[in-house]
Amino acid sequence: MLAAQVLVAQNIAFGLIAAMMIVGAIRVVSSNNVVHAALWLVLVLAGAAAQYLLVYAEFVAVTQVLVYVGAVMVLFLFGVMLTRARIGKENDLNNNNWAVGIPVAVVLFAAMSLALITGYRADKLPGPSAAVKVDTRLISDSIFGPYLLPFWALSFVLLVAVIGAIVLARKD
Amino acid sequence: MLINQFLLLGAVLFCIGVYGVIARKNAVMVLMSIELILNAVNLNLLAFAMNMNGEGSADGHVFALYVLAIAAAEVGVGLGLVLLIYRNKRSISLDELSEMKG
Amino acid sequence: MLAAETGWFLEHAYLIPVVPAVAFALIIFFGKRMPMKGSEIGVASMVTSLVLAAGTAYQWIERVDFFSPAGDNASALGGFGRAFRLNAEGATFVQPVINKIVWWQSGGMEFGLGQHIDGLAVMALLLVALISTLVQIYSLEYLRGDRRYTHFFAALTLFSAGMLAMVLAENMVQLILGWEIMGLCSFMLIGHWWEDAANSRSALKAFFTVRVGDIGLLVGTGVVFFAASAYATRHGSNGFSIQSINEWALSGTGSHTVLLWGSVALFIAAIGKSAQFPLHTWLPDAMAGPTPVSSLLHSSTMVVAGVFLVARLYPLFHTGLDINVAGQHFNLIAVIGGITIIIAAALAFVQNDIKKVLAYSTVSQLGYMMMGLGVGAWTPAMFHLFTHAFFKCCLFLCAGSVSHSGSHHSFDMKKDMGGLARKMPITTTCWILSTAALCGVPYFSGFFSKDEIIDNARNNNYQVFFVVGLVGAFMTTAYMTRATYLIFFGKARGAAAGGHAETLATADAHDSHARVPAMANAASDSHDAHDAHDAHAGPHESPVLITGPLVVLASLAVVAGYINAPVWPFHTERFAEWVANSSGVAFPILDHAQFEWVNAVPSIMLVLGGFVVSLFVCRSIYGEARSPLRGITTRVAPLRWVHTFLVNKYYLDALYENVIVRGLVGPIANGAYWVNQNVLDRIVNQAGIGARKTGGWVYRNIDQRVVDGAVNGSGAVTRGSGTALRPVQSGKVNQYGALLFGAAAIGALVLVIVNT
């Protein structure tokens, strides 16, 4: 492995963002304040967008920011507001399943990491020179070409979701 | 960069999300945990896409976008459900929703 | 005009189903606001389709003429003599006109949507468009004032779109699409008057029975797809393309087992749709729908879809079932067809409902088509499909006309009819002409088609089916004579005699039930006036909107046969040339019987015999009061048994409902209950007992020696495991999630450990 291909800056960026995301994710599931949890979730989602940039998925990263950090988070905050959650602390956000949850999560992680480490070991991602850039045009060609049928199905799901959300949330 | 560092990050996020789904009582918080899980999946998809993109295909990106759209739909319907539950029960604690008890 | 290779109509035949499909949407959305409640859109779209289909047919004939060399008539008369693409040895082959677009694709598989226009498709297109048009015109009057008038026309139009899309299907996916649209419309239209529980039950029965067969369609398509796709991909297509399937079946590259099972599975679909022997029970019940529905869907078009499927993929069946292989005397298609002919014809004798007689007659005639395909008589079978549509549709419309104007919405021949010949001359003439065609009286269209099937069975060495066909012809004549006598001749009874008040109360009068002329418009007013008129004047001739289609269809029933009449003085075999030769597939050379009067004599004699015997019996039983034959079915024991057996429809319905449905559903439910009670409960109990025994063992062996605390501990374990298992059914989402992910985690761990 040539030294030039060890991308120091990117590895550092990855490490920082990853650490931030893990901390944020843990706070999301442990915070006693719903609004704080939502804000920590913003941090995780933005971090994910940054990670997408590191794997040269610019379009997905931008979409992530638009859809998740923008729209979905606003939805969450509305949900919190409309259900009149206390803005301050709540003591009963967790139920007593945490005793099950921790072992399940740990076992799941053990299984996955075992598989990943034995499977991929130290395989390297292709560097920026070797990587073929997936540009927006290629993505759109794929969506409207070979993956048109899933796209249609997806459009239908979205339509149903829109109608369903209206029907569910309507006051009558 | 190793492919494993992305995949392991995805695994960590996924497991934290699973813990959240199991342990959280507030329905909105459960939905947030599900978002964590979906993001972990997306991270994996994009890491694999980069690993294979010597073939010049955008499959991973396309599916990541589809997952994004599904997630948006899921949040919309999910929050609609939460609002309905809140309206009927004046509470969104999942512990109180045990009508399906067998 | 010079013959041309192709033309606008041929290239744009796909418009034929598109027009009614668009019309369907228009009727649904705007129909109720239209001055004629949407019916004008339906009729207009069908007329457009008919014009397009006629243009297509004209240009197809030109195309056939273009490709057939002038001096080649000798081989053209030979029927299948001309060679085709695969076994082309210097002869011409009329290529089908195939246009398609990619409908959708997934993972590199392209699913097309398009047209496969050949003689068979053109024939079916013209037939469906013509009959749909006539039936819609007829329905304008027949259903006037009905409460779901608009929906009726919407469903009829959608049905036509589905059927037309199916007959010009380029691939199996499109064929299934059209097939399912037809099934849906059949369900909707049989249950058109669903307020009556019997009607909706019939609709469900039809739907489910056909559905049983449809499984065969899906399985068969799947089998054929996977078997043919290697061959088809090499030829630039995929395993759904009908042309590729046919070429593959003839190429000899496929395994015979696959061909056999593929064709058996597809034939099961044909059995369901075309109401063949084990699954024929739905068709008579489908008569619960309005009469135009019976005449369009359940006699002339939809029910022939199964026959059409077999004809469309004939090379597959031909090779798969070894049809025409030397020394073969039976095969699945011919046996099913032959059984159907006989049993359905026998059932037609004991029916009192005029539509049920016609329904069993339809089943029987469909059996002829199937048998024709089974004995290798492709052209006669298709020709019978063609002519049968005209005369059977006409008979149904006559039945509707009789009930509409003659018997006050009753269909009971014994109670409410008789002597209508003088009152309804046009209807009577049309009925008799169509009956003559159905029975195969010489020089009527049924003679040229049905006798060809029988003749070919003999010619192709299927002696048994030759006899079956002759017996069927005898029975056909006999039951049609009985029906004709009861309806139009003899003494007027019940409503036909003017006394219709009490018949309204009888359960047999289907059409009277849901006819609520509630809509306050001119149409319902005229219907009311018509009713009032009816009460005074008794039976009378139907209005022109009803008799018009009757006359057209009856004329066609007489003359349609002459496009393939190999007898003096016509000697034409144009149908064979236009349709059979150009089916777009490389047919093997089939031996085609030459017409000779000698061979037609037995069937003509039998038809005559059937007529005479039946007329004599009918006159004695229904006409004369003191005949020795009167009441014979109740006096003579063997005859009574046969009669009861037939009236109960061979107990097939009882078999299906009591034995199969209850026999299958009951045991499954009981089995599940038994498993629940014995296995699951026992596991739980044993677990409890095991825990207790463990506790006991612990108590005996450890407590005595160690400390009391251990006993408490084991008790706590038992109770703890109980409380740990109890919340499994808590109804709490989190806990279900925990179980789900916990199980997934353990499963993943096991997989990882096993694989590393």
Side-chain angles (χ1 to χ4, degrees):
Chain A
M1 179 53 61
L2 292 170
Q5 282 180 296
V6 180
L7 305 159
V8 180
Q10 294 184 8
N11 273 325
I12 291 175
F14 172 82
L16 284 177
I17 300 167
M20 189 183 80
M21 285 169 73
I22 293 173
V23 170
I26 290 175
R27 293 299 295 152
V28 168
V29 297
S30 63
S31 166
N32 278 332
N33 185 322
V34 187
V35 179
H36 285 183
L39 295 176
W40 280 112
L41 185 62
V42 173
L43 184 71
V44 179
L45 299 175
Q51 299 286 19
Y52 297 166
L53 285 177
L54 283 180
V55 287
Y56 306 109
E58 294 87 355
F59 185 73
V60 185
V62 172
T63 317
Q64 165 93 0
V65 172
L66 280 177
V67 173
Y68 262 121
V69 185
V72 172
M73 284 322 299
V74 172
L75 259 183
F76 269 122
L77 290 176
F78 263 107
V80 170
M81 194 179 75
L82 288 174
T83 53
R84 289 183 216 159
R86 267 164 286 169
I87 301 297
K89 264 193 182 172
E90 280 183 86
N91 293 324
D92 56 348
L93 277 179
N94 280 5
N95 55 26
N96 48 13
N97 279 333
W98 60 269
V100 188
I102 288 176
V104 165
V106 168
V107 170
L108 208 52
F109 181 69
M112 285 197 284
S113 55
L114 196 61
L116 289 174
I117 290 168
T118 52
Y120 285 98
R121 294 174 194 285
D123 289 359
K124 293 227 167 19
L125 286 168
S129 52
V132 176
K133 289 284 189 298
V134 177
D135 56 5
T136 312
R137 176 162 40 174
L138 187 54
I139 294 175
S140 82
D141 282 351
S142 297
I143 289 180
F144 297 107
Y147 296 109
L148 187 58
L149 184 71
F151 180 74
W152 279 355
L154 186 66
S155 320
F156 197 70
V157 167
L158 279 177
L159 175 69
V160 171
V162 168
I163 297 171
I166 292 171
V167 170
L168 284 174
R170 191 179 52 175
K171 278 194 178 132
D172 50 3
Chain B
M1 288 188 292
L2 305 178
I3 182 169
N4 249 343
Q5 63 196 54
F6 288 99
L7 301 182
L8 284 173
L9 177 61
V12 170
L13 288 181
F14 184 87
C15 293
I16 294 174
V18 166
Y19 169 76
V21 169
I22 295 173
R24 293 305 235 175
K25 201 195 259 181
N26 185 319
V28 176
M29 306 294 274
V30 170
L31 283 178
M32 288 188 196
S33 305
I34 292 174
E35 296 307 315
L36 282 179
I37 293 177
L38 288 169
N39 267 279
V41 172
N42 260 0
L43 197 57
N44 276 14
L45 280 173
L46 290 169
F48 284 127
M50 187 183 178
N51 196 31
M52 327 200 23
N53 73 356
E55 295 159 25
S57 100
D59 295 2
H61 297 235
V62 170
F63 277 100
L65 286 171
Y66 287 172
V67 170
L68 261 165
I70 292 286
E74 170 253 324
V75 171
V77 175
L79 284 176
L81 282 171
V82 169
L83 283 186
L84 197 65
I85 292 168
Y86 180 75
R87 204 177 299 144
N88 288 331
K89 297 227 154 203
R90 313 310 296 174
S91 159
I92 50 171
S93 168
L94 292 175
D95 285 3
E96 292 167 30
L97 295 173
S98 49
E99 279 85 355
M100 299 278 278
K101 187 170 180 147
Chain C
M1 193 174 171
L2 278 173
E5 185 184 344
T6 182
W8 187 88
F9 285 107
L10 273 184
E11 296 292 335
H12 296 85
Y14 60 86
L15 288 174
I16 300 173
V18 168
V19 171
V22 173
F24 163 72
L26 290 178
I27 296 175
I28 281 288
F29 287 117
F30 308 111
K32 292 213 159 160
R33 275 169 250 158
M34 302 291 284
M36 284 169 70
K37 306 268 168 216
S39 58
E40 67 271 59
I41 305 178
V43 174
S45 73
M46 289 326 300
V47 170
T48 316
S49 282
L50 177 59
V51 170
L52 288 172
T56 310
Y58 179 73
Q59 290 186 344
W60 176 258
I61 289 168
E62 282 195 326
R63 183 180 170 86
V64 173
D65 291 343
F66 178 82
F67 278 107
S68 78
D72 205 23
N73 279 335
S75 72
L77 277 176
F80 295 94
R82 284 198 275 168
F84 301 95
R85 196 196 308 178
L86 285 184
N87 52 354
E89 269 130 22
T92 55
F93 162 56
V94 185
Q95 290 283 347
V97 183
I98 298 180
N99 287 336
K100 63 175 173 183
I101 54 163
V102 175
W103 180 17
W104 45 277
Q105 56 177 6
S106 188
M109 266 294 298
E110 289 186 350
F111 294 84
L113 200 57
Q115 56 171 35
H116 177 110
I117 297 297
D118 59 5
L120 179 62
V122 166
M123 183 270 286
L125 285 174
L126 187 60
L127 191 74
V128 174
L130 176 62
I131 292 190
S132 300
T133 311
L134 292 172
V135 168
Q136 289 216 353
I137 292 171
Y138 179 95
S139 311
L140 289 177
E141 170 67 26
Y142 191 85
L143 282 185
R144 178 157 291 165
D146 190 86
R147 70 170 68 161
R148 279 185 290 276
Y149 194 69
T150 307
H151 291 146
F152 180 82
F153 276 90
L156 271 193
T157 313
L158 178 64
F159 161 76
S160 302
M163 178 99 197
L164 292 166
M166 191 211 84
V167 297
L168 56 66
E170 185 268 338
N171 57 58
M172 291 304 286
V173 178
Q174 190 185 349
L175 190 137
I176 292 174
L177 177 77
W179 184 280
E180 298 293 352
I181 291 177
M182 289 192 293
L184 171 72
C185 293
S186 169
F187 171 74
M188 290 195 296
L189 289 167
I190 295 171
H192 181 68
W193 292 315
W194 48 261
E195 285 88 349
D196 196 340
N199 292 347
S200 59
R201 212 166 39 238
S202 300
L204 279 177
K205 181 176 176 182
F207 192 71
F208 288 139
T209 314
V210 173
R211 214 79 200 111
V212 171
D214 287 354
I215 295 167
L217 182 65
L218 296 181
V219 171
T221 306
V223 167
V224 172
F225 169 74
F226 286 112
S229 61
Y231 177 88
T233 324
R234 272 203 304 282
H235 292 77
S237 166
N238 66 43
F240 285 123
S241 158
I242 285 170
Q243 194 184 28
S244 299
I245 291 173
N246 283 337
E247 286 176 0
W248 163 75
L250 289 168
S251 67
T253 55
S255 118
H256 189 267
T257 320
V258 173
L259 281 166
L260 174 66
W261 287 110
S263 51
V264 166
L266 288 172
F267 183 62
I268 289 171
I271 288 177
K273 202 73 162 180
S274 284
Q276 295 297 295
F277 161 55
L279 297 179
H280 66 274
T281 53
W282 68 269
L283 188 57
D285 283 19
M287 297 303 134
T291 308
V293 172
S294 313
S295 78
L296 178 61
L297 273 73
H298 304 121
S299 73
S300 50
T301 54
M302 189 194 85
V303 289
V304 302
V307 180
F308 182 86
L309 175 71
V310 177
R312 179 47 108 194
L313 297 172
Y314 198 57
L316 182 71
F317 292 90
H318 196 271
T319 36
L321 297 171
D322 293 325
I323 294 168
N324 284 352
V325 166
Q328 193 200 36
H329 298 292
F330 296 97
N331 62 54
L332 180 67
I333 299 182
V335 166
I336 294 285
I339 294 175
T340 310
I341 294 175
I342 300 295
I343 63 149
L347 286 171
F349 282 103
V350 296
Q351 303 300 322
N352 293 334
D353 185 323
I354 172 173
K355 279 171 77 180
K356 294 237 161 119
V357 174
L358 295 176
Y360 282 113
S361 168
T362 305
V363 173
S364 174
Q365 298 302 311
L366 290 168
Y368 268 108
M369 297 174 207
M370 278 298 181
M371 191 186 87
L373 290 171
V375 300
W378 193 92
T379 317
M382 286 305 101
F383 192 45
H384 194 50
L385 189 158
F386 183 70
T387 56
H388 171 261
F390 296 128
F391 52 71
K392 189 53 66 62
C393 183
C394 183
L395 287 172
F396 266 106
L397 294 185
C398 286
S401 167
V402 165
S403 93
H404 187 75
S405 313
S407 61
H408 208 279
H409 312 308
S410 164
F411 284 103
D412 194 315
M413 297 191 297
K414 280 194 178 161
K415 278 208 195 90
D416 290 320
M417 295 183 192
L420 288 172
R422 224 164 298 147
K423 309 266 179 50
M424 310 178 75
I426 302 177
T427 306
T428 312
T429 316
C430 292
W431 173 281
I432 289 177
L433 288 178
S434 303
T435 304
L438 170 61
C439 300
V441 174
Y443 291 96
F444 285 87
S445 60
F447 174 70
F448 301 119
S449 55
K450 193 161 72 177
D451 278 19
E452 279 284 285
I453 293 178
I454 300 172
D455 199 24
N456 272 281
R458 181 194 52 77
N459 186 62
N460 294 351
N461 257 334
Y462 290 93
Q463 300 300 345
V464 176
F465 298 110
F466 172 62
V467 176
V468 166
L470 287 178
V471 173
F474 174 81
M475 292 167 87
T476 308
T477 317
Y479 67 70
M480 283 315 291
T481 309
R482 169 177 176 270
T484 310
Y485 181 83
L486 279 173
I487 300 167
F488 294 108
F489 300 98
K491 212 178 285 170
R493 300 171 294 273
H500 67 263
E502 73 280 6
T503 62
L504 271 178
T506 65
D508 297 310
H510 316 306
D511 277 19
S512 65
H513 284 303
R515 185 176 291 264
V516 182
M519 283 183 279
N521 59 16
S524 77
D525 288 345
S526 80
H527 189 259
D528 286 339
H530 166 71
D531 270 356
H533 167 68
D534 213 14
H536 294 301
H540 58 94
E541 189 52 88
S542 298
V544 70
L545 277 179
I546 287 184
T547 52
L550 287 185
V551 171
V552 173
L553 282 168
S555 332
L556 282 168
V558 176
V559 303
Y562 292 107
I563 60 174
N564 205 41
V567 296
W568 180 87
F570 306 105
H571 296 296
T572 86
E573 289 204 80
R574 301 292 285 170
F575 186 85
E577 195 182 331
W578 291 332
V579 173
N581 265 348
S582 45
S583 294
V585 292
F587 265 123
I589 295 170
L590 299 182
D591 198 8
H592 185 66
Q594 288 296 323
F595 180 83
E596 280 170 42
W597 278 106
V598 181
N599 297 326
V601 166
S603 91
I604 295 171
M605 295 307 292
L606 279 168
V607 166
L608 189 64
F611 174 70
V612 171
V613 170
S614 177
L615 189 63
F616 167 71
V617 174
C618 285
R619 281 188 69 86
S620 342
I621 294 186
Y622 307 120
E624 301 161 24
R626 269 173 222 280
S627 160
L629 283 174
R630 197 175 183 101
I632 193 167
T633 50
T634 47
R635 276 185 288 115
V636 184
L639 283 179
R640 188 170 66 235
W641 298 334
V642 170
H643 189 257
T644 319
F645 191 52
L646 287 177
V647 166
N648 286 297
K649 298 177 247 171
Y650 307 113
Y651 296 98
L652 273 179
D653 278 340
L655 174 77
Y656 292 159
E657 277 171 30
N658 298 340
V659 180
I660 296 183
V661 173
R662 289 209 193 118
L664 280 179
V665 176
I668 289 172
N670 289 339
Y673 183 70
W674 184 86
V675 167
N676 191 25
Q677 290 297 308
N678 291 334
V679 179
L680 296 182
D681 272 13
R682 190 163 295 165
I683 287 171
V684 173
N685 288 342
Q686 292 296 334
I689 291 167
R692 208 174 60 222
K693 277 190 180 155
T694 312
W697 183 85
V698 166
Y699 179 76
R700 276 195 310 278
N701 292 295
I702 296 174
D703 177 67
Q704 305 298 323
R705 293 169 202 165
V706 199
V707 274
D708 280 356
V711 179
N712 297 337
S714 78
V717 166
T718 314
R719 206 171 53 235
S721 65
T723 38
L725 282 174
R726 190 181 54 79
V728 167
Q729 297 288 325
S730 66
K732 285 181 186 159
V733 183
N734 295 110
Q735 285 174 0
Y736 292 151
L739 282 173
L740 172 72
F741 284 114
I746 293 167
L749 201 59
V750 169
L751 275 179
V752 167
I753 289 168
V754 166
N755 283 331
T756 44

